[in-house]
Amino acid sequence: MTDRIVILDFGSQFTQLIGRRIRDMHVYCELLPWNASEAEALTPETKGIILSGGPQSIYAENAPYIQDYILKCNVPVLGICYGMQALAHQSGGKVSQSEEHEYGLTPMNVPEANPLLHLGDQKVWMSHGDYVAALPPDFIGIAHTPNTPYAGMANYAQKRYGLQFHPEVSSTQYGNEVLDNFVMKICACQPSWTSKNIIGESIEAIRQQVSDGRVLSALSGGVDSAITTALVQKALGDRVTAVFIDTGLMRAGEKEQIEASFRPLLGDHLIMIDASQRYFERLKGVTDPEEKRIAIGEMFIREFEKAVHDLGEFEFLAQGTIYPDVIESKGVGVNEAHRIKSHHNVGGLPKDMKFKLVEPLRLLFKDEVRAVGLELGMPRELVWRQPFPGPGLAVRCLGEVTPERIATVRHADQIFLEVLEQADLLHVRKDEAGVLHGSSQAFATLIPVRSVGVMGDQRTYAETIVLRAVTTVDFMTAEWARLPYEVLAEASKRIVNEVLGVNRVVYDISSKPPATIEWE
């Protein structure tokens, strides 16, 4: 089995970054809430535990704490920021409030060589008010800053380490080296989390779960559902039937592209259903984004239940849930109640659903999903196509969803993607310095904001299109794409000239966080 690092989340905004850094080492890691059970955290594959940072003081009422089994276990433990403070406090040390807080880049010195840290002067990313004032018994200090006497601590015998800074943040000098030292050397993990091994383990897990049952696979038109369908089909062969529901909320040419890609693979086991009229009826008058997602999630299941009525008995439903969907819909750590949004295939599923879910991509980030798709031999143009949300254009049509407004945003979106493709900016690429260019995801959003315009010497009062393009690797964080002005100008000109009911185009320059990629 694949070696595993467990990250216990105490609520830090950087927790997912720890996971990304470790996955980049080809080591499997999993985020669990701080109060996860011993059975969840300490499996035979667990080679190390990382305690994340968090926003609270350890002395705050109802502050999260380290479970006793963690303090008694024999696997290496690394506490980061709050995790270090909790480890020190619960091991017999003293944590105090600092008179001078440290935020941002801070000079740090590591005076002696040790298994974890880079030797000498360096700059690290700090974000804390409390600090470790006195070390627990059997711990030594391994780093310090001008205001923090113990920026790092270690108990070599027990393989317990603490860092007051955040090695997972890219601004931290030698941060990747620190995490690599902990995961690869101290925990002795093997880098076996590769696309080939992921496929092998996924196929085995699918076969064990489904046994001799039949699977209905949900093809939404997006990358994730397409790769899920291919993976489940590889595992089960003709016991898989894929169903594509035309919701009326798809991009231009979506239905035709899906049929062209999957008919050769699935033959008669690909079912195409036109449910657009039913979707528009269900969404009539709905404007709240959460209500939209939940309504679409319910429709998503109900349509598949109708489909199986004619296809025979299916116990399982395969869908393309990926790790960011799970994190944003459910949350982990102390903020698990602070859901960002309900993904239609996670938070929007009805409780009385008849299917058992098969979700082979549930623990993968987007870049890992694409690597699996390429390893499966799927067409590169399908694997690297622009991501598309499960609820479709409904969440890119702010306000009420009507056939007319969906047609407007679909046309604008098609024009924007055509302009980017002509400028060779439709996909993301790295330059020699590692900087991302182009767009990892790009789309148009229609917002219910009308403004005055002049077209053909006549006054207009029409809606607004927002263009959005981002660059990202994992979709947990994203930067707005620095598209050339002439590309934006061409997209704006074409949209205003060719799309009825639109007289203004704006460009979104928000990063994630604080914004999400989609507007709803």
Side-chain angles (χ1 to χ4, degrees):
M1 294 294 290
T2 301
D3 289 345
R4 175 185 190 233
I5 295 291
V6 167
I7 303 170
L8 296 178
D9 184 20
F10 289 86
S12 170
Q13 62 179 315
F14 302 130
T15 302
Q16 289 80 19
L17 289 179
I18 306 172
R20 286 302 314 136
R21 301 291 180 257
I22 295 172
R23 292 279 185 96
D24 287 343
M25 302 173 198
H26 299 296
V27 173
Y28 176 67
C29 70
E30 191 168 347
L31 275 65
L32 298 176
W34 64 271
N35 55 357
S37 69
E38 182 173 358
E40 290 176 299
L42 290 182
T43 65
E45 297 78 32
T46 303
K47 301 300 182 183
I49 293 174
I50 296 178
L51 313 172
S52 85
Q56 294 179 265
S57 166
I58 62 165
Y59 298 115
E61 185 178 358
N62 298 322
Y65 57 90
I66 304 171
Q67 306 289 300
D68 285 342
Y69 72 83
I70 298 294
L71 298 173
K72 295 176 182 177
C73 74
N74 59 3
V75 302
V77 176
L78 171 64
I80 296 174
C81 197
Y82 182 96
M84 172 182 175
Q85 295 163 15
L87 181 61
H89 175 67
Q90 293 180 234
S91 300
K94 180 181 178 182
V95 175
S96 300
Q97 187 172 30
S98 176
E99 294 182 2
E100 296 186 30
H101 296 184
E102 287 180 319
Y103 297 106
L105 277 178
T106 303
M108 185 183 78
N109 178 260
V110 177
E112 297 181 3
N114 64 79
L116 185 65
L117 299 178
H118 189 89
L119 183 65
D121 293 329
Q122 52 207 276
K123 291 188 176 181
V124 298
W125 186 268
M126 290 281 195
S127 180
H128 69 101
D130 293 353
Y131 72 104
V132 176
L135 293 172
D138 301 321
F139 278 78
I140 62 170
I142 57 175
H144 60 84
T145 74
N147 296 319
T148 303
Y150 305 114
M153 66 179 191
N155 179 327
Y156 295 137
Q158 294 185 336
K159 295 185 178 180
R160 300 285 191 268
Y161 296 86
L163 301 174
Q164 188 56 71
F165 63 94
H166 289 273
E168 71 274 21
V169 175
S170 60
S171 301
T172 292
Q173 198 174 6
Y174 310 117
N176 285 343
E177 178 183 325
V178 171
L179 291 174
D180 186 88
N181 285 339
F182 179 73
V183 172
M184 308 303 289
K185 297 178 181 177
I186 295 171
C187 298
C189 288
Q190 297 300 311
S192 59
W193 185 245
T194 63
S195 56
K196 180 176 286 187
N197 288 345
I198 291 170
I199 291 170
E201 291 181 10
S202 296
I203 288 174
E204 182 180 351
I206 291 166
R207 288 172 177 168
Q208 287 183 357
Q209 180 186 3
V210 175
S211 186
D212 58 355
R214 299 172 68 204
V215 176
L216 197 65
S217 189
L219 264 177
S220 70
V223 173
D224 306 326
S225 70
I227 293 175
T228 294
T229 299
L231 188 57
V232 175
Q233 195 274 340
K234 186 176 180 65
L236 303 174
D238 61 7
R239 287 189 287 130
V240 177
T241 295
V243 177
F244 174 77
I245 306 292
D246 183 2
T247 63
L249 307 171
M250 312 307 292
R251 290 175 290 194
E254 198 94 51
K255 178 180 177 181
E256 295 76 13
Q257 185 179 35
I258 286 295
E259 185 151 24
S261 297
F262 281 91
R263 185 66 70 190
L265 179 67
L266 297 167
D268 292 340
H269 289 274
L270 173 63
I271 309 298
M272 313 288 287
I273 297 173
D274 185 357
S276 55
Q277 185 175 349
R278 293 190 290 276
Y279 269 83
F280 282 121
E281 287 173 357
R282 176 64 181 85
L283 292 168
K284 188 174 182 179
V286 177
T287 59
D288 179 77
E290 274 293 281
E291 192 176 342
K292 280 183 191 177
R293 286 179 176 272
I294 290 170
I296 291 169
E298 183 178 356
M299 286 286 293
F300 173 79
I301 295 300
R302 299 306 178 216
E303 288 296 331
F304 278 89
E305 288 177 341
K306 291 177 185 176
V308 298
H309 185 269
D310 297 326
L311 294 171
E313 196 64 33
F314 284 87
E315 185 181 0
F316 298 92
L317 171 66
Q319 60 176 16
T321 305
I322 65 173
Y323 210 15
D325 298 342
V326 176
I327 293 170
E328 291 187 344
S329 290
K330 293 187 175 180
V332 290
V334 295
N335 293 320
E336 58 186 334
H338 296 172
R339 182 177 63 238
I340 297 172
K341 59 188 177 185
S342 291
H343 286 262
H344 78 292
N345 53 348
V346 183
L349 296 175
K351 293 181 180 179
D352 62 343
M353 182 179 70
K354 297 177 182 177
F355 297 110
K356 295 177 182 177
L357 292 178
V358 177
E359 299 175 309
L361 309 181
R362 187 179 179 86
L363 297 177
L364 302 186
F365 289 96
K366 179 69 78 173
D367 54 316
E368 294 170 324
V369 171
R370 287 197 165 111
V372 166
L374 293 175
E375 187 70 34
L376 285 169
M378 297 182 67
R380 192 171 186 85
E381 60 271 18
L382 181 62
V383 171
W384 283 101
R385 66 180 306 192
Q386 289 279 341
F388 190 57
L393 295 175
V395 293
R396 295 177 181 175
C397 180
L398 278 61
E400 186 175 9
V401 176
T402 66
E404 295 75 21
R405 297 189 78 230
I406 289 294
T408 296
V409 71
R410 179 185 291 119
H411 192 183
D413 184 76
Q414 181 181 17
I415 290 171
F416 187 35
L417 297 184
E418 285 176 1
V419 171
L420 290 179
E421 187 170 23
Q422 290 166 4
D424 195 24
L425 294 170
L426 190 56
H427 301 291
V428 71
R429 60 182 181 277
K430 285 185 179 180
D431 63 17
E432 294 181 355
V435 177
L436 295 175
H437 296 280
S439 58
S440 305
Q441 186 170 2
F443 56 89
T445 294
L446 178 66
I447 62 175
V449 175
R450 293 182 178 273
S451 62
V452 175
V454 179
M455 301 177 74
D457 294 328
Q458 292 185 344
R459 178 186 184 275
T460 62
Y461 192 57
E463 289 189 300
T464 302
I465 284 288
V466 178
L467 301 181
R468 177 84 157 133
V470 298
T471 57
T472 180
V473 172
D474 51 40
F475 288 82
M476 292 303 304
T477 61
E479 281 291 327
W480 61 275
R482 273 58 170 180
L483 299 180
Y485 291 153
E486 57 270 21
V487 171
L488 292 172
E490 176 66 15
S492 176
K493 182 182 71 174
R494 282 196 56 190
I495 289 170
V496 171
N497 286 342
E498 299 175 31
V499 181
L500 295 177
V502 173
N503 67 355
R504 191 175 298 270
V505 176
V506 299
Y507 186 55
D508 183 350
I509 59 169
S510 307
S511 297
K512 175 187 180 181
T516 55
I517 295 176
E518 299 286 346
W519 274 53
E520 288 191 341

